[in-house]
Amino acid sequence: MTDHGEGAAAVAPVAAELGEGELGRIAGRLAQVGGIVGVCLGGSRARGAHRPGSDYDLGLYYRTGELDTGALRELAAELCGRPVEVTEPGGWGPWVDGGAWLDVGPVRVDWLYRDVHRVRRYATEARAGRYTSGQQAGHPYGVPSYAYLGELALARVLADPAGELSTLRAEVAAFPPALARTLEADAAWEVPFALANARKGAARGDAGYVAGCLFRAVGLLGHVLHARAGQWLVNEKGAIASAGRLPCAPPEFERRAQRLFAPGGTGPAALNATLDAADALAAEVLAGAGRD
């Protein structure tokens, strides 16, 4: 046994991980639940950008009106050794459809519902250059409908008994050119509009309003850059850094965008100086439309 008494060397805890076999076993059990079409691994672990101890985000793709949440509760209790709260569809809001947070031993596993009919509908809309957005707790930018497509395109399929999920994933692999054109057009007017409104807040020393306008404007720029590069962007986490790595991004985009949110004072002069930098960055991004 290790001596943890005074003077003993500190031992860093080892981050818990799920083996591929165990991950596949859980996904296979989930795929047997009524209404579930297939199961995907999403988030940073699917992209290979995770850190030791990162959550395992499992997308549970289900058919509308058919999800057996009772069976999910039984499986969750079995995996965790105790009852676990499992929501009905829609339990977490209109966009993050619901699910459960599990502690499988020392490992965090999140179940996230996704209505496969809804994903198909938004895929059709995206190919026609249309999308919608909505508010959702935990997503200050909001959730664009095409985020569902990006999630699936970037995910790793773990269980897909009938091959339905893999077929749908192949359909959304490429970023639709028509959607890219729409995002370019929307940003071309909304980014300058957001920054012009921010000037009104700056004149009043309203730093909170200015920050909100800046966040929206930078978010739009991030989505435009990803669309221009033909890459999916699914949420705000790491979006600035991801945009900065794209070949179509202006020089030092990440550093310049992040500095817009660094505290520089709440008076009109400081806020207007920040907006000057934001205007310059936005002009560079928007001027690149059609070049790539």
Side-chain angles (χ1 to χ4, degrees), residues 111-235:
W111 290 353
L112 305 169
Y113 300 157
R114 291 294 182 265
D115 183 336
V116 72
H117 297 306
R118 195 177 187 187
V119 176
R120 283 201 182 92
R121 183 171 75 253
Y122 288 145
T124 299
E125 291 291 296
R127 284 192 289 270
R130 298 188 295 269
Y131 71 97
T132 186
S133 295
Q135 293 183 321
Q136 172 67 45
H139 291 268
Y141 179 81
V143 180
S145 54
Y146 56 83
Y148 282 2
L149 317 183
E151 286 178 339
L152 183 55
L154 299 172
R156 177 157 66 95
V157 176
L158 297 177
D160 187 20
E164 186 175 349
L165 199 57
S166 296
T167 299
L168 180 56
R169 183 174 179 272
E171 293 175 2
V172 301
F175 198 97
L179 179 60
R181 290 192 293 271
T182 298
L183 292 175
E184 291 273 10
D186 287 351
W189 72 264
E190 190 179 350
V191 171
F193 182 69
L195 295 177
N197 281 335
R199 294 283 181 180
K200 300 174 183 178
R204 301 188 299 269
D206 190 346
Y209 179 73
V210 171
C213 292
L214 281 171
F215 186 79
R216 178 64 183 176
V218 172
L220 287 162
L221 296 178
H223 278 268
V224 162
L225 288 169
H226 280 82
R228 196 175 291 167
Q231 296 189 20
W232 294 105
L233 178 62
V234 298
N235 61 42

Side-chain angles (χ1 to χ4, degrees), residues 20 25 35 54 80 86 93 131 137 160 173 176 204 206-207 215 257 266 269 274 277:
E20 283 293 316
R25 186 183 73 83
S54 291
C80 297
V86 177
Y131 71 97
D160 187 20
R204 301 188 299 269
D206 190 346
F215 186 79
T266 59
T274 297

